Amino acid sequence: MRNSKIYSLLGQIICVIFTFLFLFPLILMLIRSFEGNGIGNYTKVFEEVNLLPNFLTSFIVVFGTLLIVSVVSAMGAFSFSKLEFPGKKVLYYLLLTGMMIPTSALIFPLFQIVKGLHINNTAFSLIFPYATLNSCFNLMVLKNYFDGLPNELMEAARIDGAGVFKTFVKVMMPIAVPGMAFVLIQTFLGAWNELQMAMIFINDTSVQPISVVPLRFVQTAGSQNFPIEVMYASLVICLLPIAIFYIFGSKFLIAGMTAGAVKG
């Protein structure tokens, strides 16, 4: 009993230390953003740069990616978990090999495809690659979640006259909401923060996603019209939407991770 309390206290201390280490750069950035002109630093950002098109591109890319990933991953996971068809295991593990390929190795072929389809400098140049790269991991997560659901649910729905698609939509998906929430949240975080493809596939600075914009601020930081404090303010503005989203979605993220981690 005494040892358990010591281990618990030690674990809490370690968590506090690591939390401080992770939060310190963010706190420092927030403090520095108000130095000098205070709120005027934030006003200066919007006077110098029109961020609305960049935010719009990010929202379009994230929405399109979430739409494709949610449909493809959910239907694929349900099929691999609850349906029987020839070559199911081989196809499943073949799809999972996509997780082993580093994103940097796919940049050039993806760029050639995007350029060949003439969709570079548009949101579609990021939506399709993001959706493809996120589907493999999310397929595995949702399949593990569906594996934990009893097959008796499908049998009961079949007795009531429901087909496979109706069973998927009306019975399985409402139960799989926690797993689906995890998939959508982590896909949102990945699509919003991705930088490498966003820089290469969209080189028009006026429509680049917001994740690329801080690099423009860094290049001009320290100049007379754009002091370092204004750069910190611009970084806070770019990080604010993802911070708000994570605060409200963190409980669903943790619930989805724990729900899909145990099979059967």
Side-chain angles (χ1 to χ4, degrees):
M1 185 70 178
R2 183 179 178 182
N3 289 336
S4 63
K5 290 183 178 180
I6 294 175
Y7 290 141
S8 177
L9 179 61
L10 182 61
Q12 292 177 8
I13 294 174
I14 293 175
C15 289
V16 170
I17 293 174
F18 276 97
T19 301
F20 175 77
L21 291 176
F22 281 113
L23 290 180
F24 177 74
L26 299 178
I27 297 173
L28 179 62
M29 178 178 64
L30 184 62
I31 294 174
R32 291 293 303 274
S33 68
F34 285 99
E35 291 182 352
N37 294 327
I39 197 68
N41 293 331
Y42 290 86
T43 306
K44 185 73 173 179
V45 173
F46 291 101
E47 291 176 352
E48 294 290 332
V49 182
N50 182 16
L51 296 178
L52 183 60
N54 304 108
F55 273 112
L56 182 61
T57 300
S58 289
F59 283 119
I60 293 174
V61 169
V62 168
F63 176 78
T65 303
L66 291 178
L67 182 63
I68 296 174
V69 169
S70 60
V71 174
V72 173
S73 298
M75 297 183 70
F78 173 76
S79 300
F80 283 116
S81 176
K82 299 301 182 183
L83 303 181
E84 295 295 334
F85 53 90
K88 182 175 78 170
K89 288 187 177 181
V90 175
L91 181 58
Y92 175 67
Y93 289 114
L94 182 63
L95 290 173
L96 290 188
T97 56
M99 296 170 57
M100 305 178 187
I101 305 174
T103 304
S104 56
L106 300 173
I107 293 293
F108 181 73
L110 285 175
F111 178 74
Q112 294 299 317
I113 295 174
V114 166
K115 188 176 180 181
L117 294 174
H118 303 290
I119 58 175
N120 53 310
N121 286 325
T122 67
F124 294 104
S125 65
L126 297 178
I127 291 175
F128 296 125
Y130 287 177
T132 303
L133 295 174
N134 279 282
S135 292
C136 296
F137 174 74
N138 293 326
L139 174 66
M140 180 186 68
V141 172
L142 283 179
K143 180 185 178 298
N144 290 338
Y145 194 92
F146 280 119
D147 286 344
L149 301 180
N151 293 328
E152 287 76 11
L153 292 172
M154 292 192 61
E155 295 174 2
R158 191 179 301 112
I159 293 174
D160 291 338
V164 175
F165 183 75
K166 188 174 182 179
T167 301
F168 167 71
V169 175
K170 299 291 186 179
V171 178
M172 306 303 285
M173 281 307 299
I175 305 175
V177 167
M180 200 66 201
F182 167 75
V183 165
L184 295 178
I185 291 172
Q186 73 89 22
T187 301
F188 178 93
L189 296 174
W192 185 277
N193 291 325
E194 204 281 330
L195 178 63
Q196 192 173 19
M197 283 187 285
M199 290 178 58
I200 298 174
F201 296 169
I202 302 181
N203 49 39
D204 184 356
T205 57
S206 63
V207 293
Q208 283 180 326
I210 199 67
S211 59
V212 184
V213 173
L215 293 180
R216 291 157 53 189
F217 295 144
V218 171
Q219 293 172 357
T220 57
S223 63
Q224 185 175 0
N225 294 329
F226 211 90
I228 194 72
E229 292 80 11
V230 179
M231 186 203 71
Y232 280 112
S234 64
L235 293 175
V236 172
I237 293 172
C238 294
L239 290 175
L240 190 59
I242 197 71
I244 295 174
F245 180 86
Y246 187 79
I247 290 172
F248 288 99
S250 58
K251 63 178 181 179
F252 298 102
L253 183 66
I254 297 173
M257 290 176 65
T258 55
V262 180
K263 179 179 177 181

